[in-house]
Amino acid sequence: LVNSAGTTLFRSLTDLDALDLDDFLGIYAVNAVGPYQMTRAVAPHMDAGSASVNVSSIGGLNGTGSSYAYAASKGALNTLTLALARNLAPDIRVNAVLPGMIEGKWLLEGVGEDAYNELRNKFAGDAALERVATPAQIAETVGWLAISAELLTGQLITADAGLLLGRPPKVLK
């Protein structure tokens, strides 16, 4: 099972009034409740040795992203991953992939070309590997967790090119 559905509204994190209750609950429903409902429906039909992978975000670790609801829902998804991994073991492995910025039209259309290019340059410049992820790279990580990572469960795998890790100051290089 791969829970990869996600949604957001691009709203400033400096504006507490940017999302109303319905907006917040709608984002939370897709990003946190949806994976729970899918797992609940599918788990009884999964064979021993199966895996479930949730697609989360580093925003769920550091409270960043496109909106408060997005960050909160991805944080909830991370905690849900841990609870499911503990309780579905030993038959089903449950892990999550936490991307940083992913290149592509979703973010480009969400923030516009100028902001997209600024974000891409900023994230790539701050990441230890000096780049951002592609959708194919995230899919490869999801596939590895689902198929090959037989000893991993309850793991929150950051796939962010070292963005959370960061780079040392130039004076220390």
Side-chain angles (χ1 to χ4, degrees):
L1 171 64
V2 175
N3 288 307
S4 64
T7 193
T8 195
L9 293 171
F10 293 91
R11 300 293 189 264
S12 172
L13 295 178
T14 61
D15 182 0
L16 291 174
D17 293 321
L19 291 172
D20 64 25
L21 178 60
D22 289 337
D23 293 334
F24 196 101
L25 292 175
I27 292 167
Y28 206 87
V30 172
N31 295 353
V33 178
Y36 171 73
Q37 294 289 59
M38 286 299 299
T39 303
R40 183 173 160 246
V42 173
H45 307 286
M46 295 174 77
D47 294 330
S50 295
S52 175
V53 180
N54 295 317
V55 179
S56 184
S57 168
I58 63 170
L61 291 179
N62 65 5
T64 62
S66 52
S67 69
Y68 280 112
Y70 181 82
S73 66
K74 293 302 186 171
L77 181 56
N78 293 344
T79 301
L80 177 65
T81 298
L82 301 176
L84 290 170
R86 183 175 291 112
N87 292 292
L88 294 178
D91 294 330
I92 301 170
R93 296 178 296 107
V94 184
N95 295 290
V97 175
L98 286 64
M101 182 178 174
I102 303 173
E103 290 181 344
K105 69 178 186 173
W106 177 78
L107 184 59
L108 176 62
E109 291 173 357
V111 300
E113 187 172 355
D114 290 341
Y116 175 85
N117 289 329
E118 184 177 333
L119 285 169
R120 190 185 183 295
N121 291 337
K122 168 91 171 102
F123 288 141
D126 290 347
L129 297 179
E130 299 180 346
R131 60 182 181 220
V132 297
T134 66
Q137 290 168 323
I138 300 305
E140 182 179 325
T141 305
V142 168
W144 173 73
L145 283 171
I147 297 166
S148 301
E150 294 179 358
L151 291 178
L152 297 185
T153 196
Q155 299 303 302
L156 306 175
I157 307 295
T158 55
D160 66 350
L163 182 61
L164 287 179
L165 177 65
R167 298 182 60 205
K170 291 184 188 255
V171 296
L172 297 179
K173 276 192 159 186

